[in-house]
């Protein structure tokens, strides 16, 4: 007998509860919530970039949470849960708890490998060319990168802070664009017919371009001039994609501008979070060492 489709989502819900609890505990216990949030967004950003290559381009595996009706979106949403929540939330917990290599192998490699095997058995996840041994090796390494990244954030390393801000904006853009696509507001592609396969290959490139420009622009200041520059660049990039017939949109102008303006203000807050609150003519005036 076939298992009801509604049962597919149960393992994902259980995982969501478990890993959200780990992250919640980390935030509850830490004194520096701002840095922990920055680390979380950086960890998610790393995972999203890897997922772009492994899932979007090379289709290593398929998720089947049966949460979204259209299979293509359901697959991507399953990947977002895995790479945007389960693994990064656990990486932040591992870094906060200062778990060593043995713990990383147990919590990262072995635990997630067992979860992967269980998901395969439950048929809510399928390998195409991916193998569980890759998970066993890569996740402990990913946890170690999280540790290293956190140390460099504490030292205020300029390169790490720049990339962290870039990841914060990129993750937000990627999630917004997924929401727009899943509600049929936007579709990227080439030619007259834009397939969803094309969309999920092109849209990350759009998000990366916009995020990189926004990061560079917000690097030294967070003022009206910067916000207007990012807003104009966003409109210009949209028009370029439309002119090249690489995107089809169904936005009402008011909705589009509202979302874009709110996003830009959020990116300004991210900039202040990473670099501190700055005043005109000063690179960094206030650098908060901890958050409440």
């Amino acid at each position: 007998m076939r298992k009801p489709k509604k049962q597919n989502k149960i393992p994902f819900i259980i995982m969501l509860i478990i890993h959200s609890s780990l992250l919640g505990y980390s935030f509850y216990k830490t004194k520096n919530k701002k840095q922990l949030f920055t680390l979380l967004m950086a960890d998610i950003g790393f995972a999203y970039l890897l997922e772009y290559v492994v899932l979007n381009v090379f289709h290593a595996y398929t998720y089947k949470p049966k949460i979204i009706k259209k299979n293509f979106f359901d697959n991507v949403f399953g990947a977002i849960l895995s790479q945007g929540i389960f693994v990064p939330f656990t990486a932040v917990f591992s870094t906060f708890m200062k778990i060593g290599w043995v713990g990383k192998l147990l919590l990262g490699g072995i635990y997630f490998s067992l979860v992967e095997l269980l998901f395969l058995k439950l048929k809510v996840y399928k390998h195409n060319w991916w193998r569980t041994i890759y998970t066993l090796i890569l996740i402990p390494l990913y946890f170690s990168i999280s540790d290293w990244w956190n140390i460099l954030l504490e030292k205020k390393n300029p390169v790490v802070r720049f990339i962290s801000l870039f990841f914060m904006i990129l993750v937000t853009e990627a999630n917004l664009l997924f929401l727009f696509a899943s509600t049929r507001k936007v579709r990227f592609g080439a030619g007259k017919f834009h397939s969803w396969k094309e969309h999920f290959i092109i849209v990350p490139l759009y998000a990366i371009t916009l995020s990189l420009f926004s990061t560079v622009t917000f690097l030294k200041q967070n003022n009206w001039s910067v916000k207007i520059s990012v807003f104009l660049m966003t409109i210009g990039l949209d028009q370029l994609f439309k002119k090249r017939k690489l995107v089809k949109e169904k936005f009402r102008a008011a909705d589009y501008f509202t979302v874009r303006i709110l996003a830009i203000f959020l990116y300004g807050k991210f900039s202040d979070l990473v670099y501190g609150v700055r005043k005109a003519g000063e690179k960094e005036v206030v650098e908060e060492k901890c958050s409440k």
Side-chain angles (χ1 to χ4, degrees), residues 44-112:
I44 296 173
F46 275 119
Y48 273 16
L49 285 184
L50 178 63
E51 198 71 353
Y52 170 61
V53 176
V54 173
L55 179 68
N56 294 28
V57 178
F58 293 111
H59 312 291
Y61 34 67
T62 303
Y63 289 94
K64 301 176 183 180
K66 300 299 180 183
I67 295 173
I68 300 178
K69 288 183 178 180
K70 195 170 184 64
N71 290 337
F72 212 101
F73 285 103
D74 197 54
N75 179 26
V76 174
F77 185 67
I80 290 173
L81 288 174
S82 177
Q83 306 304 327
I85 295 180
F86 306 156
V87 178
F89 282 21
T90 312
V92 169
F93 175 77
S94 172
T95 296
F96 171 72
M97 295 298 292
K98 301 186 186 318
I99 293 175
W101 263 106
V102 174
K104 285 180 174 59
L105 182 61
L106 292 172
L107 180 62
I110 294 177
Y111 166 72
F112 276 104

Side-chain angles (χ1 to χ4, degrees), residues 21-255:
S21 299
L22 294 179
L23 183 70
Y25 177 82
S26 302
F27 271 97
Y28 176 72
K29 287 293 186 178
T30 188
K31 294 180 180 178
N32 195 343
K33 291 178 173 58
K34 289 184 178 181
Q35 182 172 309
L36 198 68
F37 178 75
T38 303
L39 175 66
L40 171 64
M41 295 294 277
D43 283 349
I44 296 173
F46 275 119
Y48 273 16
L49 285 184
L50 178 63
E51 198 71 353
Y52 170 61
V53 176
V54 173
L55 179 68
N56 294 28
V57 178
F58 293 111
H59 312 291
Y61 34 67
T62 303
Y63 289 94
K64 301 176 183 180
K66 300 299 180 183
I67 295 173
I68 300 178
K69 288 183 178 180
K70 195 170 184 64
N71 290 337
F72 212 101
F73 285 103
D74 197 54
N75 179 26
V76 174
F77 185 67
I80 290 173
L81 288 174
S82 177
Q83 306 304 327
I85 295 180
F86 306 156
V87 178
F89 282 21
T90 312
V92 169
F93 175 77
S94 172
T95 296
F96 171 72
M97 295 298 292
K98 301 186 186 318
I99 293 175
W101 263 106
V102 174
K104 285 180 174 59
L105 182 61
L106 292 172
L107 180 62
I110 294 177
Y111 166 72
F112 276 104
S113 295
L114 291 174
V115 169
E116 186 171 299
L117 292 172
L118 177 61
F119 274 38
L120 288 168
K121 186 176 180 61
L122 294 173
K123 297 183 179 180
V124 298
Y125 170 78
K126 183 182 75 171
H127 283 163
N128 295 327
W129 57 262
W130 189 264
R131 296 294 178 265
T132 303
I133 187 65
Y134 305 154
T135 302
L136 180 65
I137 295 170
L138 291 176
I139 291 189
L141 178 61
Y142 172 73
F143 282 13
S144 295
I145 292 173
S146 177
D147 291 351
W148 172 74
W149 204 262
N150 190 54
I151 291 170
L152 292 178
L153 280 174
E154 288 179 353
K155 294 181 177 179
K156 299 178 174 55
N157 181 280
V159 175
V160 166
R161 291 207 289 181
F162 176 86
I163 298 174
S164 295
L165 178 58
F166 167 73
F167 277 145
M168 295 171 88
I169 297 173
L170 177 63
V171 168
T172 307
E173 281 294 328
N175 290 338
L176 279 175
L177 289 167
F178 177 78
L179 177 62
F180 295 156
S182 62
T183 54
R184 306 299 194 273
K185 296 295 184 182
V186 66
R187 183 186 293 201
F188 287 77
K192 292 184 178 180
F193 177 76
H194 294 180
S195 71
W196 288 117
K197 182 178 179 180
E198 288 178 324
H199 170 89
F200 284 106
I201 291 176
I202 294 174
V203 73
L205 303 178
Y206 171 91
I208 288 169
T209 302
L210 181 57
S211 301
L212 186 59
F213 177 86
S214 300
T215 304
V216 171
T217 309
F218 275 112
L219 186 60
K220 292 184 179 181
Q221 294 292 336
N222 174 21
N223 53 32
W224 282 104
S225 176
V226 169
K227 291 181 176 72
I228 291 170
S229 297
V230 174
F231 182 69
L232 292 176
M233 189 273 175
T234 303
I235 294 175
L237 187 63
D238 284 342
Q239 292 304 313
L240 175 63
F241 271 69
K242 286 179 182 178
K243 187 175 181 180
R244 298 294 181 183
K245 297 181 179 180
L246 294 173
V247 64
K248 296 177 182 178
E249 296 180 351
K250 294 181 181 178
F251 284 108
R252 290 190 304 174
D255 294 339

